[in-house]
Amino acid sequence: MPVAQTFRPYVILNAAMSLDGKIATFTGDSRMSSAPDMRRVHRLRASVDAIMVGLRTLLVDDPKLSVKFVKGHNPYRIILDSNARTPLTSYVVGTARDVPTIIAVTSTAQRKRIEALKERGVTVLVCGKGPQVSLTFLLRRLRTLGIRRMLLEGGGTLNWSMLSHHLVDEISVAITPRILGGTGAISLVAGRGAARVKDGVKLKLLNFARYGPDLVVRYKVLDPGSVGY
Ligand SMILES: NC(=O)c1ccc[n+]([C@@H]2O[C@H](COP(=O)([O-])OP(=O)(O)OC[C@H]3O[C@@H](n4cnc5c(N)ncnc54)[C@H](OP(=O)(O)O)[C@@H]3O)[C@@H](O)[C@H]2O)c1
């Protein structure tokens, strides 16, 4: 069942991808935005209450998930990590006392790991029994914490989960003028996918603009209930 948007944050999926739809190369290299697009992303970050990523993005990129280049507060950082495997040495854990950081886990996560994260200032939310974090539970909790607008920054696995649970309202993608190829390279949206074109997530083009060499396209998600999964 879709969660009514008033009970969850408004969610904007943002990513940079190659013309062939890859958000990282087969080695995991994902730095592809131009400087003008980076400034757009940081303006977007400064306009939201939280930024969410999946565990593999954290493990590969060790991201800061903070606001640079523009004035603005740092939003909450939210990591989806069913088994509390986020390294204690990661940037987000190391700075959790300065920037509010939530790690969403399941009840199968080891208590010892949860305690270690909490001791470092991380807020740990237990969201369901697994095997993965319950997205609908988590998003309701985030709304009760005052998070009204949230940026989803991937990767492809989490993007699919969020879209297929009808939890994305808007999509911005910066298309970088490269083709990366690679059967194993992560696409904008991974997961099982739609069986038929007519079952795909329906979108409406809102606008497009050039940021340096990149083309940024913005879509509204229409009729999210049509996704079969
Ligand atoms: N170009 C861009 O804009 C961009 C942006 C972001 C990421 N990336 C790239 O994307 C790659 C990572 O993407 P990815 O698809 O491998 O992984 P991902 O989406 O970042 O993370 C997936 C992991 O999140 C955890 N998770 C917990 N609950 C989940 C749920 N309900 N649904 C889905 N995932 C859940 C799972 O690990 P557990 O089962 O252990 O919890 C899952 O394996 C990296 O190379 C990164 O650099 C690129």
Side-chain angles (χ1 to χ4, degrees), residues 27-47:
T27 65
D29 183 21
S30 65
R31 271 166 252 270
M32 59 181 95
S33 280
S34 61
D37 186 53
M38 286 305 287
R39 280 193 291 278
R40 176 193 65 86
V41 171
H42 283 269
R43 270 198 303 277
L44 190 53
R45 284 183 175 184
S47 76

Side-chain angles (χ1 to χ4, degrees), residues 55-113:
L55 177 67
R56 285 209 294 266
T57 294
L58 182 117
L59 295 177
V60 175
D61 297 345
D62 194 19
K64 293 188 170 66
L65 303 177
S66 57
V67 174
K68 273 192 302 192
F69 313 128
V70 295
K71 280 196 180 137
H73 72 291
N74 279 320
Y76 274 90
R77 302 176 298 195
I78 301 165
I79 318 300
L80 271 73
D81 173 13
S82 315
N83 298 300
R85 292 191 291 135
T86 300
L88 302 179
T89 53
S90 61
Y91 183 87
V92 290
V93 173
T95 54
R97 293 200 190 284
D98 304 321
V99 182
T101 304
I102 293 174
I103 298 189
V105 303
T106 66
S107 57
T108 57
Q110 279 183 13
R111 184 157 294 277
K112 204 172 63 183
R113 292 287 306 171

